[in-house]
PDB file of all heavy atoms in Angstrom:
ATOM      1  N   LEU A 141     -26.554 -28.457 -30.281  1.00 93.00           N
ATOM      2  CA  LEU A 141     -27.448 -28.013 -29.221  1.00 93.00           C
ATOM      3  C   LEU A 141     -27.339 -28.896 -27.993  1.00 93.00           C
ATOM      4  O   LEU A 141     -27.232 -28.408 -26.850  1.00 93.00           O
ATOM      5  CB  LEU A 141     -28.891 -27.996 -29.740  1.00 93.00           C
ATOM      6  CG  LEU A 141     -29.929 -27.285 -28.879  1.00 93.00           C
ATOM      7  CD1 LEU A 141     -29.560 -25.826 -28.644  1.00 93.00           C
ATOM      8  CD2 LEU A 141     -31.308 -27.382 -29.515  1.00 93.00           C
ATOM      9  N   TYR A 142     -27.314 -30.206 -28.195  1.00 93.00           N
ATOM     10  CA  TYR A 142     -27.205 -31.122 -27.060  1.00 93.00           C
ATOM     11  C   TYR A 142     -25.812 -31.064 -26.427  1.00 93.00           C
ATOM     12  O   TYR A 142     -25.669 -31.200 -25.207  1.00 93.00           O
ATOM     13  CB  TYR A 142     -27.533 -32.546 -27.493  1.00 93.00           C
ATOM     14  CG  TYR A 142     -29.021 -32.834 -27.556  1.00 93.00           C
ATOM     15  CD1 TYR A 142     -29.580 -33.518 -28.626  1.00 93.00           C
ATOM     16  CD2 TYR A 142     -29.863 -32.415 -26.528  1.00 93.00           C
ATOM     17  CE1 TYR A 142     -30.953 -33.782 -28.671  1.00 93.00           C
ATOM     18  CE2 TYR A 142     -31.227 -32.673 -26.571  1.00 93.00           C
ATOM     19  CZ  TYR A 142     -31.759 -33.353 -27.644  1.00 93.00           C
ATOM     20  OH  TYR A 142     -33.112 -33.605 -27.685  1.00 93.00           O
ATOM     21  N   ALA A 143     -24.788 -30.897 -27.237  1.00 95.00           N
ATOM     22  CA  ALA A 143     -23.436 -30.821 -26.688  1.00 95.00           C
ATOM     23  C   ALA A 143     -23.284 -29.609 -25.780  1.00 95.00           C
ATOM     24  O   ALA A 143     -22.736 -29.707 -24.669  1.00 95.00           O
ATOM     25  CB  ALA A 143     -22.410 -30.762 -27.822  1.00 95.00           C
ATOM     26  N   VAL A 144     -23.779 -28.470 -26.225  1.00 95.00           N
ATOM     27  CA  VAL A 144     -23.656 -27.247 -25.431  1.00 95.00           C
ATOM     28  C   VAL A 144     -24.529 -27.334 -24.183  1.00 95.00           C
ATOM     29  O   VAL A 144     -24.095 -26.997 -23.078  1.00 95.00           O
ATOM     30  CB  VAL A 144     -24.014 -26.019 -26.281  1.00 95.00           C
ATOM     31  CG1 VAL A 144     -24.092 -24.751 -25.413  1.00 95.00           C
ATOM     32  CG2 VAL A 144     -22.979 -25.822 -27.387  1.00 95.00           C
ATOM     33  N   SER A 145     -25.772 -27.789 -24.351  1.00 93.00           N
ATOM     34  CA  SER A 145     -26.663 -27.900 -23.195  1.00 93.00           C
ATOM     35  C   SER A 145     -26.108 -28.883 -22.167  1.00 93.00           C
ATOM     36  O   SER A 145     -26.130 -28.618 -20.958  1.00 93.00           O
ATOM     37  CB  SER A 145     -28.060 -28.355 -23.646  1.00 93.00           C
ATOM     38  OG  SER A 145     -28.640 -27.416 -24.530  1.00 93.00           O
ATOM     39  N   GLY A 146     -25.604 -30.031 -22.641  1.00 93.00           N
ATOM     40  CA  GLY A 146     -25.039 -31.012 -21.734  1.00 93.00           C
ATOM     41  C   GLY A 146     -23.822 -30.485 -21.001  1.00 93.00           C
ATOM     42  O   GLY A 146     -23.629 -30.762 -19.807  1.00 93.00           O
ATOM     43  N   PHE A 147     -22.990 -29.723 -21.700  1.00 95.00           N
ATOM     44  CA  PHE A 147     -21.827 -29.120 -21.062  1.00 95.00           C
ATOM     45  C   PHE A 147     -22.250 -28.180 -19.939  1.00 95.00           C
ATOM     46  O   PHE A 147     -21.705 -28.222 -18.830  1.00 95.00           O
ATOM     47  CB  PHE A 147     -20.998 -28.352 -22.093  1.00 95.00           C
ATOM     48  CG  PHE A 147     -20.017 -27.392 -21.480  1.00 95.00           C
ATOM     49  CD1 PHE A 147     -18.848 -27.859 -20.902  1.00 95.00           C
ATOM     50  CD2 PHE A 147     -20.290 -26.041 -21.455  1.00 95.00           C
ATOM     51  CE1 PHE A 147     -17.951 -26.975 -20.319  1.00 95.00           C
ATOM     52  CE2 PHE A 147     -19.396 -25.145 -20.872  1.00 95.00           C
ATOM     53  CZ  PHE A 147     -18.221 -25.612 -20.303  1.00 95.00           C
ATOM     54  N   VAL A 148     -23.239 -27.333 -20.210  1.00 95.00           N
ATOM     55  CA  VAL A 148     -23.680 -26.365 -19.201  1.00 95.00           C
ATOM     56  C   VAL A 148     -24.256 -27.085 -17.986  1.00 95.00           C
ATOM     57  O   VAL A 148     -23.927 -26.767 -16.834  1.00 95.00           O
ATOM     58  CB  VAL A 148     -24.716 -25.388 -19.792  1.00 95.00           C
ATOM     59  CG1 VAL A 148     -25.269 -24.467 -18.696  1.00 95.00           C
ATOM     60  CG2 VAL A 148     -24.091 -24.557 -20.901  1.00 95.00           C
ATOM     61  N   VAL A 149     -25.131 -28.050 -18.224  1.00 92.00           N
ATOM     62  CA  VAL A 149     -25.742 -28.780 -17.110  1.00 92.00           C
ATOM     63  C   VAL A 149     -24.672 -29.489 -16.290  1.00 92.00           C
ATOM     64  O   VAL A 149     -24.675 -29.444 -15.053  1.00 92.00           O
ATOM     65  CB  VAL A 149     -26.793 -29.780 -17.628  1.00 92.00           C
ATOM     66  CG1 VAL A 149     -27.278 -30.672 -16.491  1.00 92.00           C
ATOM     67  CG2 VAL A 149     -27.966 -29.038 -18.253  1.00 92.00           C
ATOM     68  N   GLY A 150     -23.741 -30.149 -16.961  1.00 90.00           N
ATOM     69  CA  GLY A 150     -22.674 -30.838 -16.242  1.00 90.00           C
ATOM     70  C   GLY A 150     -21.832 -29.885 -15.415  1.00 90.00           C
ATOM     71  O   GLY A 150     -21.461 -30.191 -14.273  1.00 90.00           O
ATOM     72  N   HIS A 151     -21.539 -28.736 -15.956  1.00 89.00           N
ATOM     73  CA  HIS A 151     -20.754 -27.740 -15.235  1.00 89.00           C
ATOM     74  C   HIS A 151     -21.497 -27.279 -13.984  1.00 89.00           C
ATOM     75  O   HIS A 151     -20.899 -27.153 -12.904  1.00 89.00           O
ATOM     76  CB  HIS A 151     -20.466 -26.553 -16.153  1.00 89.00           C
ATOM     77  CG  HIS A 151     -19.504 -25.553 -15.591  1.00 89.00           C
ATOM     78  ND1 HIS A 151     -19.892 -24.554 -14.719  1.00 89.00           N
ATOM     79  CD2 HIS A 151     -18.173 -25.403 -15.759  1.00 89.00           C
ATOM     80  CE1 HIS A 151     -18.838 -23.836 -14.387  1.00 89.00           C
ATOM     81  NE2 HIS A 151     -17.780 -24.328 -15.005  1.00 89.00           N
ATOM     82  N   VAL A 152     -22.799 -27.027 -14.121  1.00 90.00           N
ATOM     83  CA  VAL A 152     -23.580 -26.549 -12.976  1.00 90.00           C
ATOM     84  C   VAL A 152     -23.725 -27.646 -11.926  1.00 90.00           C
ATOM     85  O   VAL A 152     -23.656 -27.378 -10.720  1.00 90.00           O
ATOM     86  CB  VAL A 152     -24.958 -26.030 -13.438  1.00 90.00           C
ATOM     87  CG1 VAL A 152     -25.840 -25.697 -12.243  1.00 90.00           C
ATOM     88  CG2 VAL A 152     -24.790 -24.798 -14.325  1.00 90.00           C
ATOM     89  N   VAL A 153     -23.942 -28.888 -12.359  1.00 86.00           N
ATOM     90  CA  VAL A 153     -24.035 -29.996 -11.404  1.00 86.00           C
ATOM     91  C   VAL A 153     -22.748 -30.113 -10.604  1.00 86.00           C
ATOM     92  O   VAL A 153     -22.761 -30.276  -9.375  1.00 86.00           O
ATOM     93  CB  VAL A 153     -24.339 -31.319 -12.132  1.00 86.00           C
ATOM     94  CG1 VAL A 153     -24.147 -32.509 -11.191  1.00 86.00           C
ATOM     95  CG2 VAL A 153     -25.768 -31.308 -12.678  1.00 86.00           C
ATOM     96  N   THR A 154     -21.617 -30.018 -11.264  1.00 81.00           N
ATOM     97  CA  THR A 154     -20.329 -30.092 -10.575  1.00 81.00           C
ATOM     98  C   THR A 154     -20.177 -28.942  -9.588  1.00 81.00           C
ATOM     99  O   THR A 154     -19.754 -29.131  -8.445  1.00 81.00           O
ATOM    100  CB  THR A 154     -19.183 -30.058 -11.591  1.00 81.00           C
ATOM    101  OG1 THR A 154     -19.302 -31.163 -12.489  1.00 81.00           O
ATOM    102  CG2 THR A 154     -17.836 -30.139 -10.895  1.00 81.00           C
ATOM    103  N   ALA A 155     -20.567 -27.750 -10.025  1.00 75.00           N
ATOM    104  CA  ALA A 155     -20.436 -26.571  -9.162  1.00 75.00           C
ATOM    105  C   ALA A 155     -21.367 -26.637  -7.964  1.00 75.00           C
ATOM    106  O   ALA A 155     -21.078 -26.050  -6.911  1.00 75.00           O
ATOM    107  CB  ALA A 155     -20.719 -25.312  -9.974  1.00 75.00           C
ATOM    108  N   SER A 156     -22.479 -27.371  -8.088  1.00 70.00           N
ATOM    109  CA  SER A 156     -23.433 -27.449  -6.979  1.00 70.00           C
ATOM    110  C   SER A 156     -22.852 -28.174  -5.777  1.00 70.00           C
ATOM    111  O   SER A 156     -23.344 -28.030  -4.657  1.00 70.00           O
ATOM    112  CB  SER A 156     -24.721 -28.152  -7.433  1.00 70.00           C
ATOM    113  OG  SER A 156     -24.490 -29.528  -7.683  1.00 70.00           O
ATOM    114  N   GLU A 157     -21.811 -28.964  -5.992  1.00 67.00           N
ATOM    115  CA  GLU A 157     -21.143 -29.678  -4.909  1.00 67.00           C
ATOM    116  C   GLU A 157     -19.948 -28.893  -4.371  1.00 67.00           C
ATOM    117  O   GLU A 157     -19.158 -29.414  -3.584  1.00 67.00           O
ATOM    118  CB  GLU A 157     -20.681 -31.050  -5.396  1.00 67.00           C
ATOM    119  CG  GLU A 157     -21.802 -31.940  -5.917  1.00 67.00           C
ATOM    120  CD  GLU A 157     -22.815 -32.263  -4.836  1.00 67.00           C
ATOM    121  OE1 GLU A 157     -22.409 -32.381  -3.665  1.00 67.00           O
ATOM    122  OE2 GLU A 157     -24.006 -32.393  -5.175  1.00 67.00           O
ATOM    123  N   GLY A 158     -19.812 -27.656  -4.807  1.00 66.00           N
ATOM    124  CA  GLY A 158     -18.673 -26.841  -4.416  1.00 66.00           C
ATOM    125  C   GLY A 158     -17.621 -26.836  -5.508  1.00 66.00           C
ATOM    126  O   GLY A 158     -17.596 -27.715  -6.384  1.00 66.00           O
ATOM    127  N   ASP A 159     -16.751 -25.858  -5.492  1.00 71.00           N
ATOM    128  CA  ASP A 159     -15.706 -25.750  -6.497  1.00 71.00           C
ATOM    129  C   ASP A 159     -14.724 -26.919  -6.342  1.00 71.00           C
ATOM    130  O   ASP A 159     -14.117 -27.077  -5.281  1.00 71.00           O
ATOM    131  CB  ASP A 159     -14.963 -24.422  -6.320  1.00 71.00           C
ATOM    132  CG  ASP A 159     -14.071 -24.107  -7.508  1.00 71.00           C
ATOM    133  OD1 ASP A 159     -13.574 -25.049  -8.133  1.00 71.00           O
ATOM    134  OD2 ASP A 159     -13.881 -22.910  -7.804  1.00 71.00           O
ATOM    135  N   PRO A 160     -14.564 -27.750  -7.376  1.00 71.00           N
ATOM    136  CA  PRO A 160     -13.663 -28.899  -7.238  1.00 71.00           C
ATOM    137  C   PRO A 160     -12.224 -28.491  -6.955  1.00 71.00           C
ATOM    138  O   PRO A 160     -11.457 -29.278  -6.382  1.00 71.00           O
ATOM    139  CB  PRO A 160     -13.789 -29.614  -8.593  1.00 71.00           C
ATOM    140  CG  PRO A 160     -14.334 -28.588  -9.529  1.00 71.00           C
ATOM    141  CD  PRO A 160     -15.200 -27.703  -8.702  1.00 71.00           C
ATOM    142  N   ILE A 161     -11.856 -27.286  -7.329  1.00 76.00           N
ATOM    143  CA  ILE A 161     -10.493 -26.825  -7.069  1.00 76.00           C
ATOM    144  C   ILE A 161     -10.234 -26.707  -5.575  1.00 76.00           C
ATOM    145  O   ILE A 161      -9.099 -26.859  -5.105  1.00 76.00           O
ATOM    146  CB  ILE A 161     -10.233 -25.475  -7.765  1.00 76.00           C
ATOM    147  CG1 ILE A 161     -10.510 -25.598  -9.269  1.00 76.00           C
ATOM    148  CG2 ILE A 161      -8.803 -25.019  -7.540  1.00 76.00           C
ATOM    149  CD1 ILE A 161      -9.649 -26.613  -9.976  1.00 76.00           C
ATOM    150  N   ASP A 162     -11.289 -26.458  -4.796  1.00 74.00           N
ATOM    151  CA  ASP A 162     -11.116 -26.318  -3.344  1.00 74.00           C
ATOM    152  C   ASP A 162     -10.509 -27.573  -2.729  1.00 74.00           C
ATOM    153  O   ASP A 162      -9.819 -27.500  -1.704  1.00 74.00           O
ATOM    154  CB  ASP A 162     -12.463 -26.022  -2.674  1.00 74.00           C
ATOM    155  CG  ASP A 162     -12.983 -24.630  -3.023  1.00 74.00           C
ATOM    156  OD1 ASP A 162     -12.173 -23.797  -3.478  1.00 74.00           O
ATOM    157  OD2 ASP A 162     -14.188 -24.386  -2.840  1.00 74.00           O
ATOM    158  N   HIS A 163     -10.771 -28.728  -3.337  1.00 73.00           N
ATOM    159  CA  HIS A 163     -10.268 -29.983  -2.789  1.00 73.00           C
ATOM    160  C   HIS A 163      -8.767 -30.170  -3.046  1.00 73.00           C
ATOM    161  O   HIS A 163      -8.159 -31.096  -2.519  1.00 73.00           O
ATOM    162  CB  HIS A 163     -11.033 -31.169  -3.379  1.00 73.00           C
ATOM    163  CG  HIS A 163     -12.506 -31.115  -3.118  1.00 73.00           C
ATOM    164  ND1 HIS A 163     -13.036 -31.299  -1.861  1.00 73.00           N
ATOM    165  CD2 HIS A 163     -13.568 -30.875  -3.931  1.00 73.00           C
ATOM    166  CE1 HIS A 163     -14.362 -31.194  -1.913  1.00 73.00           C
ATOM    167  NE2 HIS A 163     -14.698 -30.939  -3.161  1.00 73.00           N
TER     168      HIS A 163
END
Side-chain angles (χ1 to χ4, degrees):
L141 193 58
Y142 278 135
V144 172
S145 299
F147 164 76
V148 175
V149 172
H151 188 277
V152 173
V153 168
T154 300
S156 69
E157 301 298 327
D159 192 329
I161 304 299
D162 291 342
H163 301 290

